[in-house]
Each structure stands twice: as C-alpha cells, then as structure tokens.
Amino acid sequence: MGTPRIEIIEKYCKGCNICVEFCPKHVLKMDGFVAKVDKPEACIQCMQCELRCPDFAIKVYPA
Amino acid sequence: MTFDYEKYIRPGKLPHIWCPGCGHGIVMKGLIRAIDKCGLQKNRTAIVSGIGCASRLPGYVDFNTVHTAHGRAAAFATGMKMADPDMTVICTGGDGDGVAIGGNHFIHACRRNIDLTYVIMNNHIYGMTGGQFSPCTPTDAFASTTPYGNPDPIFDISKLAIGAGATFVARTTAYHATQIDKLITEGIKHKGMAVIEVLDCCPTSYGRRNKFRSVVEMMKQHKDIAVPVTAAAKMSEEQLAGKILTGVLHKENKPEYCEQYAKLINKVQNPTSK
Ligand SMILES: Cc1ncc(C[n+]2csc(CCOP(=O)(O)OP(=O)(O)O)c2C)c(N)n1
Ligand code: SF4
Ligand code: SF4
Ligand code: SF4
C-alpha cells in the first residue's frame, strides 16, 4: 500500500480536532486552528477522518 | 473511496455556518452519501426542514428544498408527498423542532405511515437560540433554562416514533459515521414512515454547559454508550443500564398513506368497479 494524498481544505477547516483524535495512526495533527498532515506514510486509508470531518475539509485520495 | 460531496452541495455554500465540531455536518454528509447510494435524481428529491441549526441543512444541498416554519417539516412534507407520491421526500431537523414544537406533526406523520424519511438530529438542546432545554435534554443536565439541572424525564425519540406507528425506526450517533448513511439508505428504500434518530453533538450550547471539554469527548461518550440491538439481545438489564440501542430498532410492513388515499379516490370515483 503506497502513501495516499491527503488534502486539507484550509478555508473550510474549523479546527475541531475530530480528524486528529480519531485517526488510528496519528497521521494528522493540529497546527494552530487548522489540521495538518503530519505522517502521510503511516496512513492506512481507513477514511475515518474524511467520513467524520463535519466541515467537508479533508479528503483522502487512496494511493 | 474519496467521496465527491461537492456534486450535491450548492456552489459557494461552504464553509457552512455550523460551529466547529457541530455534528450536523457529519449527518449532512451521511445523508448525501445515502442519497447517492440510492441513486436519487436531484429534481425528484425534496428535503424539508423546520427551524433551528439542524434545519439549516436544506440550504446547503442541491435538491428541491424547503425551509419551513418551526416544527412544521412533517406537515409540509406530508402535503408535498400527497401532491407527488413518486417524489422522495426527506425531512431533516433537530430534536427541539421535531418533538417539542413539532411533536404533533411528527407523531401524526408516524401514525399515518406516510412514505417520508425523517432524519432527526438529536443534540439534546435548542442549539440555535442559546441552549434552552428540549424534551431530549437528559434529566439533571444543564441548559440555559435549567441552571440547577433538568428535572424533566426525556422523550426517547425512537420509542415515540415506534409507539406512534412509524414502520421503520433506527438510531445511530454522529460518531458512527458509516452507520448514518447505511440507516438512511434503508429508511429511504422503506415504503412508509421511516425515522432515523442520530444522536448528535452541540459543543457550543450543550457541551460546554455540561462539562465536556471538547466535541471529541462528547463523541467518545456516544461511542461508549452505543450498543447494537443485536448485541443487546444477549445482555442483562444491568449491563444495559445507561446504554442506548443503535441499529434498526423496528421494521414492519403496513399500508402506506398515499396508496390508501389513492385507493379511496378510486373507490369514490368508480363506485361500480372493485
Ligand atoms: C414559532 C417559533 N418559536 C420559537 C422559535 C425560536 N427557535 C428557533 S430555533 C429553536 C430551537 C431549535 O432547536 P433544535 O430543533 O433542537 O435544533 P438545533 O438548533 O439544536 O440544531 C427555537 C426555539 C421560532 N423560530 N419560531
Ligand atoms: S484515512 Fe485513516 S489513517 Fe489515514 S489519515 Fe485518515 S483517519 Fe488517519
Ligand atoms: S475534522 Fe475537519 S474541520 Fe475538524 S480539524 Fe479536522 S479537517 Fe478541520
Ligand atoms: S449552536 Fe450547537 S447546534 Fe448550533 S451550530 Fe453551534 S454546535 Fe451546532
């Protein structure tokens, strides 16, 4: 499994932390009030972040 | 698979107005995925709401949408469905809108078993107007109007819907994102009144007052108390204390209202035929 592309649409992100907290692999982290991709190589493409982001701000494009 | 939500969102409508972490966005995404799964046509689908934060949902999505008066989603939806029974009509709204001011319309839509899908976002509070208690605010919880704790017992929305006659009733939470679209899909496909209750989070008007440090904590609580109905069958009463059942809680087949009405018209107009 390769490294997926994870896109964070910064102008939609409200910094709720949901994607960061529920990512099973700690791929994401908060950078001030926006989520950021920290360790894309650890992503298992479970899509939990994309499913739960209330703000349509995160997209995971499987490798 | 990456999901293309934009296909169903009105251009220029994002970011939405809901607060950071508000669960309504998670429910809206689930509803969009369900509509996509069902392959519904935009111009043959209507989404109807009342008033409240949850009731803002139809403003964002590209279908026939109606933002009606507070509590009146089921009443407008009933009229629309009667006028065009082949249209898919979906109601969306909050617990306050649906079972407080709108409780009467809600139970009578259930009683008639009219073919609507009602997605009710139960965040236990009147979010929009500053956190007054709703019939779904837990006993002892704090709201702006229950500063000493809520003395009232709650409405269990799913039980209310079953008791009133809805023929498909299911429950999930904003944490269980994939179950949201699964249950709404089943609800849309069901012929008759389908109620999908989603336990939702209002970090702003409910969470802060009730000592939740974040929306994540609220979602974790829902995760911890949710028990699938199938698993609950094997659990004792003590094990189920404080838990809420999720999944399809009730499903039966009964005559649907628009069909019954069409039959009546036919009978009256053709008194000699059978
Ligand atoms: C007839 C009428 N009464 C009261 C109001 C004020 N009001 C607007 S939204 C709302 C409560 C909405 O709560 P809920 O449906 O639970 O949705 P939420 O905001 O929590 O998503 C109230 C009381 C109104 N708009 N119209
Ligand atoms: S897809 Fe799964 S593993 Fe990858 S960032 Fe999202 S939540 Fe984390
Ligand atoms: S869940 Fe969405 S809005 Fe919340 S921090 Fe992550 S990307 Fe931002
Ligand atoms: S007040 Fe509550 S229900 Fe309304 S948008 Fe904010 S978090 Fe959501």
Side-chain angles (χ1 to χ4, degrees), chain B residues 107-128:
Chain B
I107 56 174
H108 291 290
C110 293
R111 174 177 62 83
R112 288 185 171 128
N113 193 34
I114 185 161
D115 188 21
L116 305 175
T117 303
Y118 201 125
V119 179
I120 185 155
M121 295 170 237
N122 178 5
N123 61 7
H124 319 291
I125 202 83
Y126 287 180
M128 177 172 267

Side-chain angles (χ1 to χ4, degrees), chain A residues 4 6 18-20 22-28 37 39-40 42-52 58-61:
Chain A
I6 305 170
I18 288 174
C19 59
V20 176
F22 292 117
C23 169
K25 294 291 170 190
H26 310 290
V27 171
L28 310 161
V37 184
K39 287 182 265 168
C43 175
I44 52 166
Q45 307 176 22
C46 65
M47 310 309 275
Q48 295 300 311
C49 54
E50 184 183 302
L51 281 162
R52 289 208 188 89
I58 184 160
K59 284 176 187 264
V60 181
Y61 301 96

Side-chain angles (χ1 to χ4, degrees), chain A residues 13-19 35 53-55 57:
Chain A
C13 173
K14 293 180 187 154
C16 68
N17 212 27
I18 288 174
C19 59
C53 169
D55 284 278

Side-chain angles (χ1 to χ4, degrees), chain B residues 18-19 22 24 53 123 127-128 201-205:
Chain B
W18 293 318
C19 304
C22 175
H24 296 342
C53 296
N123 61 7
M128 177 172 267
C201 299
C202 169
T204 305
S205 293

Side-chain angles (χ1 to χ4, degrees), chain B residues 54-102:
Chain B
S55 295
R56 301 290 293 250
L57 188 154
Y60 297 109
V61 286
D62 194 14
F63 302 96
N64 298 300
T65 60
V66 205
H67 191 189
T68 74
H70 199 17
R72 272 56 184 168
F76 280 83
T78 296
M80 291 167 68
K81 188 74 188 179
M82 295 287 290
D84 188 353
D86 295 330
M87 171 100 75
T88 301
V89 183
I90 300 168
C91 296
T92 61
D95 48 309
D97 186 73
V99 300
I101 190 167

